[in-house]
Amino acid sequence: METIETIGNSNPVLPEGYSLVPKGKLANAVTCLEMREKPEAIAAAERSDLSLARMTVPDLDTYRQLFRAIGEEWMWVSRLVISDGELADILRDPRVEIYVLSSGGTPAGMIELDFREPGACELVFFGVTKETIGTGAGRYLMNHALSIAWAHPIERLWLHTCHFDHPNALSFYRRSGFSPYALLIEVADDPRVTGILPRTAAPHVPILE
């Protein structure tokens, strides 16, 4: 790793290709992945301890509560910063499908599939609650996500993940049949500094103020 000189000074000397991220901001490395063909076999086996149901008339408070429960640890904020009207327009569009995973009658995960682009589907949000990680619920949920998505007349299923996500997320998506096709860098306000998320969220990501 190259040395970053005088980083505490007002004019640090940075190696070529580096950019200093301002305090209060976050730099997020995003990987986009896609699947161009329906998998030959999708084992969406049922489990007695898990169930999946579509949220047919999404309630905004219920949706945001689940969104936080799953994504707060991984810096999910996009659905928390848009207005109720904007969120309602998305969730109540018939081309957007939301499914809730339940474990023992308690919400434990979600899938959000967006079919608004003809011939394509974006797996916008996918995740399980912290308590459910490591139980096989993620594989159960992904197999159902693939079955649901490819039951539609699509030619491409895609998603994106980032380095704020679970450390196994990228490898999980690749094992599920997705292939990386683009890398992006996003610089945005730290939601823990702006107050959108609590300061205890995502402890694996340092806060710089």
Side-chain angles (χ1 to χ4, degrees):
M1 179 178 293
E2 295 186 75
T3 301
I4 299 179
E5 302 176 14
T6 62
I7 195 66
N9 297 340
S10 58
N11 295 304
V13 178
L14 302 177
E16 184 178 352
Y18 282 70
S19 297
L20 188 62
V21 178
K23 298 281 182 73
K25 299 280 188 177
L26 291 173
N28 186 9
V30 179
T31 301
C32 299
L33 304 99
E34 66 181 359
M35 184 183 295
R36 289 281 183 173
E37 295 181 350
K38 180 180 179 179
E40 291 185 5
I42 303 173
E46 297 302 318
R47 282 178 45 170
S48 60
D49 59 328
L50 298 174
S51 61
L52 190 69
R54 185 172 178 183
M55 187 185 288
T56 53
V57 184
D59 173 77
L60 301 189
D61 290 339
T62 301
Y63 173 90
R64 284 192 172 120
Q65 183 178 11
L66 182 59
F67 184 91
R68 278 187 179 272
I70 297 168
E72 186 171 283
E73 186 76 5
W74 317 114
M75 304 288 265
W76 289 15
V77 296
S78 60
R79 297 299 198 230
L80 305 178
V81 297
I82 61 176
S83 69
D84 287 354
E86 290 175 292
L87 183 58
D89 286 345
I90 295 170
L91 301 187
R92 293 167 187 171
D93 190 309
R95 297 166 297 175
V96 175
E97 300 182 9
I98 300 158
Y99 296 84
V100 178
L101 175 72
S102 295
S103 176
T106 301
M110 69 179 293
I111 304 167
E112 185 173 326
L113 298 166
D114 188 335
F115 295 95
R116 289 179 294 177
E117 179 186 347
C121 173
E122 180 185 1
L123 180 49
V124 186
F125 294 108
F126 173 92
V128 298
T129 56
K130 182 191 298 187
E131 298 77 15
T132 316
I133 293 174
T135 66
R139 174 53 56 198
Y140 171 93
L141 191 62
M142 176 57 76
N143 288 346
H144 278 279
L146 296 177
S147 293
I148 294 167
W150 285 104
H152 292 70
I154 62 171
E155 300 173 354
R156 177 176 180 255
L157 174 62
W158 70 281
L159 58 83
H160 70 270
T161 186
C162 70
H163 79 281
F164 295 157
D165 208 343
H166 189 283
N168 296 331
L170 183 56
S171 60
F172 174 83
Y173 292 135
R174 297 185 74 170
R175 290 196 307 273
S176 299
F178 291 90
S179 299
Y181 71 90
L183 297 174
L184 307 171
I185 298 295
E186 175 190 24
V187 177
D189 293 333
D190 188 330
R192 299 164 300 179
V193 173
T194 60
I196 296 169
L197 293 182
R199 295 182 69 86
T200 54
H204 59 294
V205 182
I207 300 174
L208 297 177
E209 292 184 277

